[in-house]
C-alpha cells in the first residue's frame, strides 16, 4: 500500500500537478537530452543539468509562478540525489528564480 502524498498539489489529478512538466534530459551519454548546452563542448555536471532544466521550465512558465514544490517532488522527477538538486536550487535561489518557504519547500 502506498503512503499518502504529503503534498496534495502534486497529486496526479491535481490542477497544480507537475505531471505535464517533464525533465529535458535523460541519463546516458548526454547525447539524448534536449537542453541547450551553455558550455560549448563541455560536459555538464548533474547539478548543472538540473539547474538548467529547472531554470528553463521556470522562465517558460512550465512551472507556474508561486507554485510550491519540495525536494522530494524534484528528486522523484529527476531521479537524482539530494546533492545535485540542492546545488541547482541554491543557484536558482541566488538568481532570484525561486524562494525558500520554511517547512514547505520552494516557490
Amino acid at each position: 500500500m502506498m503512503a499518502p502524498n504529503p503534498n496534495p498539489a502534486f497529486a496526479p489529478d491535481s490542477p497544480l500537478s507537475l505531471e505535464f512538466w517533464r525533465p529535458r534530459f535523460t541519463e546516458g551519454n548526454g547525447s539524448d537530452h534536449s537542453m541547450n548546452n551553455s558550455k560549448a563542448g563541455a560536459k555538464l555536471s548533474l547539478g548543472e543539468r538540473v539547474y538548467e532544466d529547472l531554470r528553463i521550465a521556470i522562465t517558460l512558465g512550465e512551472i507556474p509562478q508561486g507554485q510550491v514544490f519540495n525536494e522530494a517532488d524534484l528528486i522523484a522527477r529527476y531521479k537524482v540525489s539530494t546533492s545535485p538538486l540542492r546545488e541547482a536550487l541554491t543557484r536558482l535561489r541566488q538568481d532570484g528564480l525561486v524562494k525558500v518557504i520554511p517547512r514547505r519547500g520552494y516557490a
Side-chain angles (χ1 to χ4, degrees):
M1 183 171 188
M2 291 179 49
N5 186 347
N7 189 349
F10 285 92
D13 57 347
S14 169
L16 297 178
S17 175
L18 288 182
E19 281 299 309
F20 65 91
W21 171 63
R22 301 275 183 236
R24 288 176 176 73
F25 68 86
T26 60
E27 293 302 315
N29 63 8
S31 62
D32 54 349
H33 65 82
S34 61
M35 287 191 312
N36 292 331
N37 190 346
S38 59
K39 295 180 180 179
K43 207 170 182 186
L44 293 176
S45 73
L46 195 53
E48 290 171 329
R49 288 169 45 189
V50 173
Y51 165 77
E52 286 293 326
D53 192 66
L54 282 171
R55 184 182 60 79
I56 291 168
I58 290 168
T59 55
L60 292 178
E62 293 173 3
I63 299 176
Q65 184 177 4
Q67 182 171 1
V68 177
F69 53 91
N70 61 35
E71 288 181 5
D73 298 324
L74 297 174
I75 287 170
R77 182 149 317 274
Y78 284 105
K79 296 174 180 41
V80 296
S81 65
T82 56
S83 294
L85 180 67
R86 286 182 180 169
E87 174 188 331
L89 289 170
T90 298
R91 287 184 61 194
L92 290 167
R93 186 180 51 78
Q94 291 169 345
D95 292 348
L97 294 174
V98 298
K99 64 180 182 177
V100 178
I101 301 174
R103 296 178 300 282
R104 288 197 58 212
Y106 299 85

